[in-house]
Amino acid sequence: MKPKKVLLLGSGALKIGQAGEFDYSGSQAVKALKEEGIEVVVINPNIASVQTSEGFAYRTYFLPITPFFVEKVIEKERPDGVLLGFGGQTALNCGLALDESGVFAKYGVRVLGTGTDAIRKTEDRDLFKRELLSISVKTPKSRPVSTTKDAMEAAERIGYPVMIRAGFALGGEGSGVCKTKRELESRAKAALDKSDKILVEEYLGGWKEIEYEVVRDAEDNCITVCNMENFDPLGIHTGESIVVAPSQTLSNSEYHMLRELSIKVIRHFGIVGECNIQFALDPKGEDYRVIEVNARLSRSSALASKATGYPLAFVAAKIAIGKALIEIENSITKTTKACFEPALDYVVVKVPRWDFNKFPKVSRRLGTEMKSVGEVMAIGGTFEEALQKAVRMLDIGAQGIIHNIDLDIEKELKSPTDRRLFAISLAVSRGFSTRRISNATGIDPWFIDRMRNIVEFSGKIRANRESLLQAKRLGFSDSQIAFFAGKKEGSIRKLREKFGIFPVVRRIDTLAAEFPASTNYLYATYHGKESDVAFNGRGKVVVLGSGTYKIGSSVEFDWCAVEAANELRNLGKKTIMINCNPETVSTDYDVCDSLYFEELTLERVLDIYGMENPDGIVVSVGGQIPNELSSSLSKNGAKLLGTSAESVDCCEDRNKFSKLCDSLGISQPRWSSLSSRKEALDFASNAGYPVIARPSYVLSGEAMRVIYDATELSEYLRENTKPSDERRVVISKFIENAREVEFDGVSGKGNVWKHVMTEHIENAGVHSGDATMVTPPQRLPKSVRDDILGKSKRLSKALNISGPFNIQFIVKGNDVSVIECNLRASRSMPFVSKVIGSNLVSLSVRSMLGMGNGISREKRIVVGVKAPQFSFSRLKGADPMLGVEMSSTGEVGCIGNDFNDALLKAMISSGIPVPRKGVLLSISGDERREEFLESARRLSGLGVDIFATEKTRAFLGRNGISAKEVSAELPASLDLAICIPKSSRKEELMRKYGIRRALADRNIPIITNLELAEALTESLSKIREKDAEIRPIEEY
Amino acid sequence: MGAKGSLVLEDGTVFEGVSFGCPRSSTGEVVFNTGMVGYPESLTDPSYRGQILAFTYPMIGNYGVPKDRKSNGISTVFESGSIHVSGVVVSDYSKNCSHWNAAMSFGEWLNGNRIPALEGIDTRALTKRLRESGTMNGSIIIGKGGMERSRNPIEEVSTEKPVVYGRGKKRIALIDCGVKNSILHSLISRDVSVIRVPWDYDIFSLDFDGLLVSNGPGDPKRAHAAIENTKKAIELDIPTFGICLGNQIMAIAAGGDTYKMKYGHRSQNQPCLLEGTKRCYITSQNHGYAASLDGAGNEWKTLFTNLNDGTNEGIVHRTGRFFSVQFHPEANPGPTDTSFMFDRFLGMLK
């Protein structure tokens, strides 16, 4: 029976192992159910997600995905069904807990799709293996254990090396290979800290890793939508692997043996909906093992959807409400049905994106745990073409697999890191044989040989027609070709034009051209002689999406891109989206009129621009990658919509921007760009320490640091950069104990149409992406707010802004200075838009099209708090200390009638729970301890155990607060830690790194900022979890 | 790099490419297959006799060509003793292959069997052309060599004399119009004896319990003898099962008809709905003609229907004793979901 009202559990903030793919799956589910006339209630504190956009679902709750809050929503909404499979492991675990505690039964809520019994059988490793054994399907030899001693015994029986796996864990957290007893002992111990039960398993390193995406309906129709092969062998987490679809090295019998097994397993478990199954396949025979089954939408299913054009999440949602596969339309062809298996006539390559440069202490070594923070997907006619495209999409400065960086080839091949592709190409060019590389890496020779084709051709590139065409077919960019042929990038484009070498545009049609497609899901390739599309029509606007997610650029820019496309459509424009990130909603082909799953590079955007001949291009909604293309696109004749490229350039260029501020009488913290060590030291001592230093040439602002004295600066300059004319270092005055304020605005022809101010809770010194923030500001006097608005208006006028912009201000007392200004949508735009109930992106689009200020009234007056989500437990070795470098991987935003309510909900949503057992305090320096005293009193009033490090404990004791001592071993019953260093001097930070890291390894949330700790303890003392307001955004 | 060559369609369209098989010219009906794996199986499938086969999956040859292995004297890796296509067309030939079981590269295999092949062809553009204009004849032209014309293809691929396989008690007569080895394996592994006979053999001179009419190339209406024998088997109430061409022969024997499809079904992802249910199976297919029950008596019913285009995918007699499917339950290449059809057939033998 079709339900009337369905609750959908989202996945919360983006973190490593659980990212934007669940915004895709959740939003598809909402669309699929809405189409059936079902009311969908969404719970998700991820305020930047598309699924929580106003008017999208029937009701939207920005609340934590915890059993407590979900039950509250069930009590209020009384849905008759619930979907657990669209919000990742978070939703699944929460749903299982609610099922076990009888909440679903109590309120008569039916779990739609795959039942909880089936989910449990796939989640509990032990049950899982027994089930598969009962149908004679092989799994790795293994033993479940719950003590370290049993783990050691099991390993003896199975034989080293063995693999440790923790059940119910996101993205393989706590898993690892152990070659020796000692390794096993420490790993088992760590894993058992997080999980009651772990598995010791036979190690299948070097086997191929193959995945199938399987769909089954209640009629027992069962199809495999896609298979995928990992480029990297088993032993490297699939989220860390380069993945290729379809499989490349499997014969028909292997492909169909695994397909048949997939269907057998999925039927046995009784999955209703979508699931993913992973296999290990012996590279020297047809032996296999089933590694795992994910009875829910997953990262792989998002990838498979984008790779094939088959909307897995959409179909899974339809199946969940009882539809059969034969009753669901193939939304690409519109003439055939969803009951078929896509045939691809192209190859898809996914490459993960890592941000190791942000975490200097983290090992770059890839293994069984996930560390990547994003991914890209490239489509091509050959593996070579797709792989080279993918490398460029990563936005790491590499133009393809040939990227000369300093590395130890032998070591890289044996112990792969994020640089292994470059190591392989280097090895090829140094004469390593395919066999040698394959033996060292475990990567199939087929892939190595394909990479060899690229490397070997690079030396033969010439500026003639045949050579250019061949180079383009191998995926070389114009700039790479220019490099190898000794020419300039622009001249290669001219040559191509002369020779008539252009990419063709093809449709992803799910059926390899067997049937015509009615959907414009497109990619470009040089392996063709004609395009599938005619490129006619007028009134087209191109929107550039965000590209890969990485630290600092994530789902918020996807929301902006989707909202921009929606508004353009509303205004009658034909929209063309360009993006290359498979975890996004903007790459759903129904979001726009044409979707190019393509590179966000000057070359490719110009290619598309040239073919489509649009009215203009929007570069200001996809974050920094499109923003940085502004000038070059404009110079090459592309028409930017909204603010001019000159203005963008003025804000990106520090010198130009400073001149502008000076001319407008707007102050900035003192800064200078310096080309020698002496200049740097002189400037810093003149300006006065502390200062912030950063190299001017490093991508994505890495290696930025606060520096407190000349010794530290000398050391910094030695370690990070040797300043010269080409490699200048930028030093600016760091203002201590100041507040930061974000100004998000939309202007039309220079006039500010709309603005929202957001105040950081932490003092300046915490990166805006890591700061907890509140809108409207709670502590800013009117005079300061007026000053900020006045300065923003002057900047807007001077830059003649038409569209979105964000200015960061620093406020000390009554002094307001500008830190930076970005003429694009900011990270906080979805947050502020949803809090005030007025969509700033829609408004921006109207401005960009030169229309009047049509919509603008704020709907509501509430308090919104945005909080960061960290993934430190994944990043072994990283210091979980906040600083000027961004380190959070996601964010949440919650709404309340007052600050304390909103803050508490936001904190719980970001994984900082209301403490019930114990809180650890480690506050350094007398001054800090004094400042923290009031907070400590509030905590002790909560009735939880207080643990404290030696000096903190003594201080608390003197003030009448009793605390237990923390020895070398962390107490078992901890649910929160507050560790505040005396300052962010390097030596200060080193002192307590050990304890912070130990906490992160134990997955205990840590607060390292005094202002945030104070705000949190105040909220905790004023409001209890059970009193938190349970209201959907629609009711505020 | 190989010699330059081209594919010329009868409507005059020319696709330029590079030779990677035997450098000679050849002619045939140009068809496309959308399967992503299984080129050794496809090329040795007798149903492709005389056709130039284009693969829509762009990289072909990745895992080379396997060493031959036999069971009951029948190859388990190839579908017959030779390559039947008259030419191969791909976008990107994988000259480096990698597989534990590879005996040689795809190009070497083609060369050894004197089969011409072209790479560097926009197979998507070719597919769209065939989809829009219908299947047509064409030639691979490499160098100056002359062209060969095909004769009755069924005659070319059928066995010359009867062969017996297996030791099971039940005996199946198999009319070989170009049978795939996997059909033989599917039967033998179910413990029956198979008497494989030429397509026009007088089967009633044999003692058998059930009849299987095999797949095969070309126009079913040219298989007069097989049609007549099928009619007679039905009259004699002998359980009869047809596969692919066998489905078309069964339809004609039932009084129905066949027609040439615009561009056929050649893929591993064809959804077939079991009539009267909501069960749909993913099937492997290779046919250019389709069956129709127009004119057949009302004791005949549709068994399966193609969910994509509504064409007939199988028929069944009211008694259930005579039935046939347009798809390949023996798979290879392709999915194995419908292997139960063999059980259904053998279940009727008493």
Side-chain angles (χ1 to χ4, degrees):
Chain A
M1 202 188 65
K2 205 161 86 174
K4 286 199 178 68
K5 193 190 228 184
V6 170
L7 178 66
L8 181 126
L9 304 188
S11 64
L14 270 63
K15 48 189 160 195
I16 292 178
Q18 186 170 287
E21 61 269 18
F22 299 110
D23 191 22
Y24 150 75
S25 48
S27 61
Q28 287 254 312
V30 174
K31 282 183 202 170
L33 299 194
K34 262 169 86 172
E35 209 178 75
E36 301 288 332
I38 295 170
E39 292 174 347
V40 188
V41 179
V42 171
I43 308 181
N44 194 351
N46 190 338
I47 201 162
S49 60
V50 175
Q51 60 185 263
T52 58
S53 293
E54 259 190 289
F56 193 67
Y58 171 72
R59 290 278 184 275
T60 308
Y61 288 86
F62 294 112
L63 287 175
I65 320 278
T66 62
F68 174 83
F69 282 99
V70 175
E71 181 175 356
K72 288 279 181 193
V73 173
I74 290 174
E75 196 182 344
K76 188 176 158 96
E77 292 285 346
R78 298 299 180 125
D80 45 357
V82 62
L83 289 173
L84 308 180
F86 297 82
Q89 200 66 33
T90 298
L92 207 65
N93 289 350
C94 181
L96 286 177
L98 287 164
D99 181 58
E100 268 156 36
S101 63
V103 169
F104 290 151
K106 181 178 166 193
Y107 293 96
V109 183
R110 195 153 51 97
V111 174
L112 305 176
T114 305
T116 46
D117 282 347
I119 296 172
R120 250 177 232 114
K121 284 177 190 164
T122 57
E123 290 285 308
D124 182 307
R125 298 293 307 178
D126 196 19
L127 268 179
F128 177 69
K129 294 174 75 75
R130 265 190 278 154
E131 289 290 330
L132 290 192
L133 185 67
S134 76
I135 53 166
S136 311
V137 171
K138 292 191 214 174
T139 54
K141 280 181 257 168
S142 71
R143 289 171 72 90
V145 296
S146 45
T147 66
T148 311
K149 186 169 160 277
D150 289 351
M152 307 292 284
E153 262 180 44
E156 286 302 321
R157 289 197 185 191
I158 293 164
Y160 285 93
V162 293
M163 170 93 182
I164 295 272
R165 281 177 178 276
F168 287 87
L170 279 178
E173 191 171 3
S175 305
V177 181
C178 310
K179 291 189 173 131
T180 63
K181 286 184 187 180
R182 262 184 66 189
E183 267 179 37
L184 174 66
E185 193 168 11
S186 73
R187 277 220 177 247
K189 213 170 156 199
L192 281 165
D193 273 340
K194 286 183 197 162
S195 185
D196 298 339
K197 209 156 57 170
I198 59 165
L199 210 67
V200 182
E201 193 170 84
E202 84 178 288
Y203 176 61
L204 301 166
W207 283 37
K208 294 179 186 181
E209 190 168 350
I210 312 289
E211 297 176 68
Y212 282 73
E213 295 300 319
V214 193
V215 175
R216 180 175 172 271
D217 65 17
E219 305 291 331
D220 203 22
N221 289 312
C222 204
I223 58 169
T224 62
V225 167
C226 183
N227 95 333
M228 294 175 273
E229 175 173 9
N230 286 10
F231 167 93
D232 301 278
L234 202 75
I236 295 182
H237 189 283
T238 178
E240 299 286 271
S241 295
I242 293 174
V243 175
V244 183
S247 61
Q248 298 301 324
T249 70
L250 267 58
S251 67
N252 178 71
S253 62
E254 289 160 338
Y255 182 105
H256 286 287
M257 169 185 77
L258 298 182
R259 180 186 173 280
E260 195 176 327
L261 281 163
S262 303
I263 291 177
K264 184 176 179 181
V265 169
I266 269 48
R267 284 215 163 104
H268 177 73
F269 283 118
I271 304 291
V272 179
E274 206 277 344
C275 89
N276 159 274
I277 179 165
Q278 291 174 23
F279 292 97
L281 180 68
D282 185 352
K284 296 186 187 74
E286 290 195 354
D287 201 5
Y288 74 91
R289 303 282 187 279
V290 173
I291 302 297
E292 64 178 50
V293 168
N294 283 305
R296 55 170 172 84
L297 277 298
S298 62
R299 176 178 43 256
S300 296
S301 63
L303 178 65
S305 296
K306 306 293 178 179
T308 60
Y310 190 101
L312 280 166
F314 186 85
V315 170
K318 296 275 189 193
I319 289 175
I321 55 161
K323 287 228 165 193
L325 274 169
I326 56 166
E327 296 165 339
I328 305 167
E329 183 184 66
N330 175 339
S331 47
I332 290 243
T333 62
K334 310 268 188 200
T335 55
T336 59
K337 297 291 178 189
C339 190
F340 79 107
E341 299 187 352
L344 281 59
D345 59 0
Y346 49 86
V347 60
V348 168
V349 176
K350 174 213 91 171
V351 183
R353 151 91 194 207
W354 292 270
D355 263 331
F356 290 127
N357 290 345
K358 297 265 185 198
F359 305 98
K361 291 195 176 86
V362 174
S363 158
R364 303 181 89 108
R365 173 84 195 264
L366 308 183
T368 53
E369 287 187 39
M370 196 166 157
K371 295 174 184 170
S372 63
V373 293
E375 60 188 28
V376 296
M377 180 182 107
I379 307 168
T382 55
F383 177 69
E384 293 92 324
E385 185 180 40
L387 181 66
Q388 297 241 73
K389 279 166 91 167
V391 172
R392 287 192 288 276
M393 289 170 176
L394 289 175
D395 192 38
I396 52 172
Q399 279 292 314
I401 62 163
I402 304 169
H403 182 49
N404 290 324
I405 46 172
D406 212 15
L407 42 79
D408 177 343
I409 299 179
E410 298 270 4
K411 196 174 154 209
E412 280 286 335
L413 296 183
K414 282 215 176 72
S415 313
T417 72
D418 55 319
R419 297 160 172 159
R420 72 204 179 296
L421 271 183
F422 309 128
I424 295 169
S425 73
L426 201 57
V428 168
S429 66
R430 298 264 169 87
F432 284 46
S433 71
T434 297
R435 179 185 288 268
R436 182 173 170 197
I437 298 170
S438 175
N439 286 346
T441 56
I443 296 169
D444 194 282
W446 186 84
F447 294 111
I448 312 279
D449 278 328
R450 289 274 170 172
M451 290 178 68
R452 178 178 297 281
N453 291 344
I454 298 169
V455 175
E456 288 180 349
F457 193 76
S458 68
K460 300 179 200 158
I461 294 179
R462 301 287 177 272
N464 62 52
R465 187 182 188 281
E466 196 149 331
S467 182
L468 278 182
L469 179 61
Q470 183 60 15
K472 295 311 279 183
R473 287 185 166 183
L474 287 166
F476 287 94
S477 67
D478 284 356
S479 74
Q480 256 178 318
I481 293 172
F483 174 80
F484 290 115
K487 308 259 177 198
K488 283 193 175 140
E489 178 177 353
S491 73
I492 300 298
R493 176 169 282 275
K494 289 210 181 75
L495 265 182
R496 283 203 289 116
E497 281 163 5
K498 181 179 142 199
F499 295 136
I501 301 174
F502 299 106
V504 300
V505 172
R506 284 180 173 170
R507 281 197 176 98
I508 303 248
D509 60 15
T510 69
L511 285 160
E514 191 183 350
F515 287 88
S518 64
T519 304
N520 279 324
Y521 178 10
L522 309 168
Y523 71 98
T525 175
Y526 281 93
H527 288 272
K529 64 176 212 170
E530 64 180 41
S531 289
D532 291 346
V533 279
F535 308 114
N536 40 28
R538 284 158 174 245
K540 294 185 277 192
V541 173
V542 174
V543 177
L544 302 187
S546 67
T548 177
Y549 287 170
K550 52 188 175 180
I551 287 180
S553 176
S554 158
V555 66
E556 59 276 5
F557 294 115
D558 191 45
W559 181 85
C560 292
V562 169
E563 291 300 326
N566 286 344
E567 187 64 15
L568 285 164
R569 263 187 171 181
N570 291 342
L571 297 171
K573 294 290 178 186
K574 292 259 177 254
T575 51
I576 298 170
M577 180 72 67
I578 308 178
N579 201 357
C580 56
N581 180 342
E583 312 176 65
T584 55
V585 178
S586 58
T587 54
D588 274 356
Y589 45 79
D590 58 352
V591 162
C592 43
D593 295 295
S594 297
L595 164 66
Y596 282 86
F597 213 104
E598 271 300 332
E599 296 172 56
L600 290 161
T601 54
L602 177 67
E603 177 183 340
R604 188 44 42 93
V605 175
L606 284 177
D607 287 340
I608 296 168
Y609 196 94
M611 290 184 282
E612 292 280 1
N613 194 22
D615 290 352
I617 183 162
V618 176
V619 295
S620 56
V621 294
Q624 200 57 13
I625 292 176
N627 192 52
E628 280 170 3
L629 290 174
S630 303
S631 292
S632 49
L633 280 171
S634 178
K635 275 183 202 140
N636 280 280
K639 186 184 172 213
L640 305 191
L641 293 184
T643 312
S644 71
E646 291 73 33
S647 291
V648 173
D649 182 54
C650 175
C651 291
E652 295 286 309
D653 183 316
R654 289 171 182 283
N655 289 310
K656 289 183 189 166
F657 186 64
S658 279
K659 272 192 199 129
L660 176 69
C661 286
D662 289 348
S663 74
L664 297 173
I666 295 170
S667 61
Q668 280 188 291
R670 243 185 107 185
W671 72 277
S672 190
S673 165
L674 306 144
S675 61
S676 76
R677 214 180 116 183
K678 183 172 181 303
E679 273 178 34
L681 284 162
D682 286 351
F683 173 81
S685 74
N686 262 328
Y689 289 96
V691 295
I692 299 181
R694 82 199 84 188
S696 61
Y697 56 90
V698 173
L699 281 172
S700 63
E702 282 132 15
M704 181 154 78
R705 194 179 313 147
V706 178
I707 284 167
Y708 286 82
D709 57 36
T711 322
E712 265 189 41
L713 184 57
S714 297
E715 191 192 342
Y716 174 86
L717 294 173
R718 198 169 55 239
E719 279 173 12
N720 292 281
T721 170
K722 291 192 178 61
S724 64
D725 279 338
E726 293 79 43
R727 313 188 128 211
R728 301 174 83 88
V729 62
V730 174
I731 294 184
S732 45
K733 171 80 187 149
F734 176 59
I735 304 172
E736 287 183 288
N737 299 320
R739 282 183 195 154
E740 270 189 56
V741 177
E742 306 268 330
F743 182 98
D744 281 304
V746 178
S747 287
K749 300 194 175 80
N751 298 313
V752 177
W753 283 1
K754 179 107 209 148
H755 74 274
V756 186
M757 285 183 219
T758 308
E759 180 185 22
H760 292 203
I761 296 188
E762 297 87 349
N763 282 347
V766 173
H767 189 283
S768 68
D770 285 353
T772 306
M773 48 184 79
V774 55
T775 188
Q778 305 288 300
R779 304 175 298 185
L780 287 187
K782 184 166 184 305
S783 61
V784 170
R785 278 182 278 144
D786 289 347
D787 193 8
I788 289 174
L789 180 58
K791 284 176 170 149
S792 301
K793 282 182 171 168
R794 270 180 276 161
L795 277 168
S796 171
K797 200 86 199 164
L799 292 160
N800 196 22
I801 300 175
S802 281
F805 65 104
N806 169 276
I807 308 175
Q808 286 173 31
F809 288 96
I810 191 159
V811 180
K812 174 115 186 185
N814 286 319
D815 293 340
V816 173
S817 335
V818 171
I819 307 175
E820 63 176 73
C821 175
N822 285 302
L823 303 188
R824 56 168 173 81
S826 73
R827 190 179 299 115
S828 41
M829 198 151 263
F831 166 69
V832 297
S833 292
K834 288 179 189 181
V835 172
I836 66 166
S838 172
N839 190 323
L840 297 196
V841 171
S842 305
L843 198 59
S844 300
V845 166
R846 298 177 70 87
S847 163
M848 284 184 248
L849 293 181
M851 303 173 67
N853 180 0
I855 35 160
S856 133
R857 181 148 305 165
E858 270 148 57
K859 272 208 216 147
R860 58 179 80 92
I861 300 165
V862 290
V863 179
V865 171
K866 179 162 97 71
Q869 169 78 48
F870 299 96
S871 298
F872 286 122
S873 70
R874 295 262 170 190
L875 296 161
K876 293 276 173 291
D879 186 351
M881 176 71 212
L882 299 195
V884 288
E885 281 281 4
M886 182 167 166
S887 56
S888 64
T889 53
E891 62 185 28
V892 294
C894 293
I895 286 169
N897 266 336
D898 70 25
F899 173 67
N900 289 320
D901 181 50
L903 179 74
L904 186 70
K905 289 187 286 199
M907 288 285 112
I908 297 171
S909 297
S910 69
I912 295 175
V914 173
R916 305 200 188 281
K917 293 179 284 185
V919 179
L920 183 144
L921 303 179
S922 168
I923 318 291
S924 302
D926 289 335
E927 205 177 318
R928 295 266 149 172
R929 288 184 201 116
E930 284 293 346
E931 286 171 321
F932 187 74
L933 185 57
E934 185 53 34
S935 292
R937 286 194 207 288
R938 291 185 200 128
L939 281 173
S940 81
L942 293 177
V944 296
D945 287 340
I946 306 275
F947 297 90
T949 46
E950 199 187 334
K951 285 183 186 161
T952 307
R953 183 168 165 261
F955 171 81
L956 292 174
R958 285 198 297 278
N959 288 282
I961 300 168
S962 70
K964 296 181 184 167
E965 193 179 328
V966 182
S967 54
E969 195 94 337
L970 288 175
S973 57
L974 273 188
D975 32 31
L976 178 66
I978 298 176
C979 303
I980 315 276
K982 196 158 123 194
S983 74
S984 44
R985 279 171 182 266
K986 201 176 168 191
E987 68 208 41
E988 252 332 298
L989 294 183
M990 288 306 290
R991 284 180 50 222
K992 289 286 168 63
Y993 164 74
I995 190 163
R996 288 194 297 270
R997 194 55 232 172
L999 287 159
D1001 284 335
R1002 279 265 309 274
N1003 215 3
I1004 292 163
I1006 314 166
I1007 291 175
T1008 61
N1009 177 278
L1010 183 69
E1011 298 82 41
L1012 180 63
E1014 285 172 338
L1016 176 66
T1017 57
E1018 188 175 349
S1019 283
L1020 287 172
S1021 70
K1022 290 200 171 142
I1023 180 172
R1024 281 182 294 180
E1025 192 174 12
K1026 70 178 179 57
D1027 301 321
E1029 197 168 45
I1030 311 292
R1031 269 166 79 185
I1033 183 74
E1034 293 79 7
E1035 281 181 16
Y1036 279 100
Chain B
M1 203 152 70
K4 292 201 167 163
S6 54
L7 171 71
V8 182
L9 300 183
E10 69 180 288
D11 69 355
T13 316
V14 179
F15 292 86
E16 306 282 352
V18 173
S19 165
F20 72 98
C22 180
R24 66 182 188 91
S25 300
S26 106
T27 294
E29 187 184 31
V30 183
V31 296
F32 65 89
N33 184 308
T34 66
M36 299 182 284
V37 284
Y39 52 87
E41 290 85 348
S42 290
L43 261 57
T44 53
D45 175 351
S47 298
Y48 281 113
R49 186 71 186 184
Q51 292 175 326
I52 292 174
L53 179 58
F55 288 98
T56 62
Y57 188 69
M59 291 177 286
I60 297 290
N62 299 7
Y63 52 88
V65 176
K67 286 188 216 51
D68 199 3
R69 281 182 295 181
K70 285 191 161 71
S71 159
N72 295 304
I74 313 163
S75 172
T76 58
V77 295
F78 300 119
E79 287 304 318
S80 68
S82 61
I83 299 180
H84 293 284
V85 298
S86 44
V88 173
V89 172
V90 305
S91 173
D92 183 78
Y93 162 58
S94 202
K95 64 181 190 300
N96 295 304
C97 62
S98 158
H99 198 267
W100 58 273
N101 197 27
M104 65 185 99
S105 73
F106 186 40
E108 285 165 354
W109 189 50
L110 291 168
N111 232 319
N113 285 274
R114 296 202 23 84
I115 306 293
L118 291 177
E119 66 161 326
I121 303 283
D122 184 343
T123 46
R124 185 173 171 87
L126 171 63
T127 301
K128 286 194 304 182
R129 182 62 49 97
L130 298 176
R131 177 184 86 201
E132 280 148 23
S133 310
T135 316
M136 55 184 114
N137 290 322
S139 301
I140 289 179
I141 297 176
I142 299 168
K144 284 183 183 160
M147 294 177 203
E148 295 162 25
R149 278 276 162 193
S150 177
R151 298 173 297 143
N152 177 5
I154 299 178
E155 226 171 279
E156 290 177 11
V157 295
S158 183
T159 179
E160 281 171 16
K161 54 181 196 303
V163 190
V164 180
Y165 305 94
R167 298 208 184 97
K169 269 197 206 151
K170 295 292 173 190
R171 293 162 61 86
I172 305 296
L174 189 154
I175 297 180
D176 176 8
C177 302
V179 69
K180 283 169 66 189
N181 285 341
S182 292
I183 294 179
L184 297 171
H185 289 299
S186 297
L187 293 170
I188 298 164
S189 68
R190 286 171 170 82
D191 203 26
V192 293
S193 308
V194 179
I195 315 151
R196 172 186 185 178
V197 299
W199 72 282
D200 54 355
Y201 194 77
D202 175 15
I203 51 170
F204 298 100
S205 64
L206 303 168
D207 173 24
F208 65 98
D209 303 294
L211 176 65
L212 192 147
V213 188
S214 85
N215 64 298
D219 187 347
K221 287 174 182 161
R222 292 175 75 171
H224 306 290
I227 295 167
E228 289 311 312
N229 282 332
T230 305
K231 268 187 195 163
K232 198 167 163 194
I234 293 169
E235 276 161 28
L236 294 171
D237 195 32
I238 299 167
T240 303
F241 178 29
I243 293 174
C244 195
L245 183 79
N247 183 51
Q248 296 151 18
I249 289 174
M250 183 83 87
I252 300 170
D257 201 1
T258 59
Y259 59 96
K260 193 166 181 3
M261 300 168 82
K262 197 168 175 191
Y263 51 93
H265 291 156
R266 290 173 192 87
S267 51
Q268 301 172 19
N269 62 347
Q270 295 287 340
C272 294
L273 186 69
L274 180 60
E275 281 300 313
T277 72
K278 285 186 178 181
R279 282 302 297 273
C280 184
Y281 299 90
I282 305 299
T283 67
S284 181
Q285 300 200 8
N286 171 19
H287 63 107
Y289 288 82
S292 152
L293 279 177
D294 287 353
N298 54 13
E299 64 269 30
W300 286 90
K301 283 196 200 106
T302 300
L303 182 58
F304 288 98
T305 304
N306 191 295
L307 193 65
N308 284 346
D309 60 10
T311 54
N312 178 274
E313 292 287 359
I315 60 173
V316 62
H317 187 259
R318 165 179 66 73
T319 58
R321 291 176 63 75
F322 326 112
F323 62 90
S324 54
V325 292
Q326 189 57 58
F327 51 82
H328 288 271
E330 79 283 4
N332 290 307
T336 51
D337 302 6
T338 49
S339 61
F340 62 86
M341 292 307 295
F342 288 102
D343 300 318
R344 179 166 170 172
F345 170 51
L346 299 180
M348 287 192 306
L349 310 182
K350 275 195 226 133

